Amino acid sequence: MAFTSKTTIAAAAGAVALLSGASFVSAPATSTSHLRATASSAAATPSVQAPSQAAALAVAGVAVAALTASGRKALSIKPQLVPAAGWGQILAYMAFCEVSQDQSPGTPAAAGDFGFKVLTSSDPEEKTKKLSAELANGRLAMMAIIGMFFQDGLTGSAWGDWANYTASPLRAFENELGVQAPVGFWDPAGFTADGSVEDFQRRRQTELKHGRISMLATMGYITPEITGKLPGYLSPSAGLKFADVPNGLAAISKVPAAGWGQILAYMAFCEVSQDQSPGTPAAAGDFGFKVLTSSDPEEKTK
């Protein structure tokens, strides 16, 4: 995983784009009353905000997991360098910012106006534009600082080069299949932080199985929608026609007991028909199905 400064910026930008697709677009001039009305209507319809909140929680969860797994040791050093008086000053200033003005609902401070007029404007349209820019920049900065913390934890510098972090156990897996641009070796939760090759291979084996099943399931899910149902009976003894089977998850209710037996039997066959112990071809995902492979090593790897 090539953790460069570009990676940090790209990750932050991507996360912000996920959180708010239009946050980097200058908003049209909008009156304060309209903004308040919009906020009120949003509060009245929480379901509109749910996707953004879920995305924010997901991104934050990944970031926290990454920090915890990979950067906690390096990050713990720097807070120890701040003297007690320094922490006191930081906390005192935070308290001052919170209590120095009335921030109750309806006050200017509650809307973000603390009287700092350096970057504002007397023109309402220009002021609205700058406030929109502040929100967009703040969203980017919140994600950027998490990315910088993560990179600092890995390399010792917020702008550090991944090449300098020679002690990382992640380097053992840099040349494995699936390491692709732009993210490189992707393990934000730090599952491979212990450097265990055995655990990595077990997880890779599981990933291949789940991926193959999911690809087949995806095609099975959408094919009837595109091509229509097969003619005839799915189960003549039960009088069940293919046309009677609904698409999607509702089809589960139509599977007869014998059908579930066939599914479980095939799953068992796939598991026990070949030796999948560590080091075998099957453990690496090679079950002898050569339709989509190649005799050229480079093409096969691709």
Side-chain angles (χ1 to χ4, degrees), residues 120-142:
T120 189
S121 173
S122 58
D123 177 16
E125 184 175 351
E126 183 66 20
K127 181 179 179 180
T128 300
K129 179 181 177 182
K130 289 187 175 183
L131 289 173
S132 297
E134 180 189 30
L135 284 172
N137 292 343
R139 290 166 179 168
L140 174 61
M142 285 187 284

Side-chain angles (χ1 to χ4, degrees), residues 74-108:
L75 288 174
S76 65
I77 297 174
K78 297 192 175 181
Q80 295 174 4
L81 300 179
V82 179
W87 287 115
Q89 293 172 22
I90 293 172
L91 293 173
Y93 182 68
M94 291 167 59
F96 169 76
C97 291
E98 290 297 320
V99 303
S100 60
Q101 295 197 39
D102 181 12
Q103 299 184 50
S104 57
T107 61

Side-chain angles (χ1 to χ4, degrees), residues 248-267:
L249 293 175
I252 295 176
S253 64
K254 296 291 186 178
V255 180
W260 287 116
Q262 293 172 21
I263 293 171
L264 293 173
Y266 182 68
M267 291 167 59

Side-chain angles (χ1 to χ4, degrees), residues 173-201:
F173 312 113
E174 280 187 319
N175 297 318
E176 294 288 343
L177 291 175
V179 179
Q180 301 171 10
V183 296
F185 183 73
W186 177 245
D187 181 23
F191 287 122
T192 58
D194 58 2
S196 172
V197 175
E198 182 180 353
D199 287 345
F200 174 84
Q201 291 175 344

Side-chain angles (χ1 to χ4, degrees), residues 94-299:
M94 291 167 59
F96 169 76
C97 291
E98 290 297 320
V99 303
S100 60
Q101 295 197 39
D102 181 12
Q103 299 184 50
S104 57
T107 61
D113 184 359
F114 282 79
F116 187 70
K117 303 295 185 182
V118 176
L119 300 177
T120 189
S121 173
S122 58
D123 177 16
E125 184 175 351
E126 183 66 20
K127 181 179 179 180
T128 300
K129 179 181 177 182
K130 289 187 175 183
L131 289 173
S132 297
E134 180 189 30
L135 284 172
N137 292 343
R139 290 166 179 168
L140 174 61
M142 285 187 284
M143 298 311 303
I145 193 63
I146 293 298
M148 293 169 73
F149 283 159
F150 180 48
Q151 185 151 311
D152 194 320
L154 284 173
T155 68
S157 170
W159 304 102
D161 189 341
W162 174 243
N164 296 332
Y165 195 62
T166 57
S168 173
L170 301 181
R171 290 207 172 275
F173 312 113
E174 280 187 319
N175 297 318
E176 294 288 343
L177 291 175
V179 179
Q180 301 171 10
V183 296
F185 183 73
W186 177 245
D187 181 23
F191 287 122
T192 58
D194 58 2
S196 172
V197 175
E198 182 180 353
D199 287 345
F200 174 84
Q201 291 175 344
R202 178 178 54 80
R203 294 189 183 105
R204 171 52 53 84
Q205 183 177 359
T206 303
E207 179 187 29
L208 282 171
K209 287 184 180 180
H210 290 176
R212 288 169 176 175
I213 292 171
S214 297
M215 287 187 284
L216 290 170
T218 300
M219 294 306 301
Y221 203 104
I222 67 175
T223 298
E225 298 278 359
I226 299 172
T227 65
K229 309 291 178 61
L230 293 172
Y233 285 86
L234 172 61
S235 176
S237 61
L240 181 63
K241 296 181 179 180
F242 284 103
D244 297 334
V245 179
N247 291 339
L249 293 175
I252 295 176
S253 64
K254 296 291 186 178
V255 180
W260 287 116
Q262 293 172 21
I263 293 171
L264 293 173
Y266 182 68
M267 291 167 59
F269 169 77
C270 292
E271 289 297 320
V272 303
S273 60
Q274 296 196 38
D275 180 12
Q276 299 183 50
S277 56
T280 60
D286 185 357
F287 281 79
F289 187 71
K290 302 297 187 183
V291 175
L292 300 178
T293 189
S294 173
S295 58
D296 178 16
E298 185 175 348
E299 183 65 20

